[in-house]
Amino acid sequence: MNIVMDEKGNDPMENLKKKPAKSILKSSSSFEVPDGPSGSNRRASRSKEPKGTKWDEMNILETLHPPGKDYGHMKIEEPKTPFERTLSEDAVDTLDPNVLAEKIVQSCNKSPKDTICGTSLSDSEEELTPEEREKKKEFEKRRKAHYNEFLMAKKAMKELQDEEDDDD
């Protein structure tokens, strides 16, 4: 029989007869005998170990929360308001009811069309030249015609229907 030797001169068949020092399979406690010395030692050593995860909290604090880190929060120092909060009694502006009543009476005498934002239309019309007045009248006429377009469209539709009825 021809024996094959490896580079060191050992017989490879001898390796098959050896038992490994440590098994490659996971040990299971479900079929181990609890009375045996090896099974009881394993359980005792496992029960001493904590079952949860152990965190190195001090390392986490030092790493993730270094002193002086601001986390994006800014402290904004706003200046004080530039005016005085307390008003003196002399500076208080009082409203005279008589003056107010006079202004209300004056505004009631004018019609709403006469005034726009406190300016009178008659004053602005007096400043216009005759040509500008004519342009303004033409513009107002066209504007009224434009905004009456819906009524004109309705009227045209009615006339078309009347023409169709007459044709039949």
Side-chain angles (χ1 to χ4, degrees), residues 143-156:
R143 181 172 55 192
K144 286 181 183 179
H146 173 74
Y147 286 114
N148 288 334
E149 187 175 346
F150 178 73
L151 297 174
M152 297 301 282
K154 244 182 171 180
K155 185 178 176 183

Side-chain angles (χ1 to χ4, degrees), residues 62-161:
E62 289 172 3
T63 305
L64 299 177
H65 304 289
K69 186 173 181 183
D70 64 351
Y71 296 101
H73 301 292
M74 292 178 60
K75 184 176 180 181
I76 300 172
E77 296 178 9
E78 295 184 16
K80 300 289 182 188
T81 53
F83 58 88
E84 289 186 42
R85 294 193 186 277
T86 58
L87 297 174
S88 63
E89 293 180 15
D90 298 335
V92 175
D93 209 12
T94 58
L95 184 62
D96 186 17
N98 296 329
V99 174
L100 182 61
E102 288 176 19
K103 287 184 179 181
I104 291 173
V105 169
Q106 288 176 358
S107 66
C108 290
N109 292 337
K110 294 181 181 179
S111 67
K113 289 184 179 179
D114 289 344
T115 58
I116 296 177
C117 299
T119 61
S120 174
L121 288 178
S122 60
D123 294 340
S124 64
E125 286 179 1
E126 290 175 2
E127 295 172 2
L128 297 176
T129 63
E131 294 171 358
E132 290 175 338
R133 286 186 202 146
E134 186 64 32
K135 283 184 180 180
K136 187 173 182 179
K137 286 180 184 178
E138 184 67 27
F139 171 76
E140 289 176 0
K141 181 181 172 185
R142 287 184 182 178
R143 181 172 55 192
K144 286 181 183 179
H146 173 74
Y147 286 114
N148 288 334
E149 187 175 346
F150 178 73
L151 297 174
M152 297 301 282
K154 244 182 171 180
K155 185 178 176 183
M157 290 294 287
K158 188 175 181 182
E159 288 176 4
L160 284 174
Q161 287 177 354

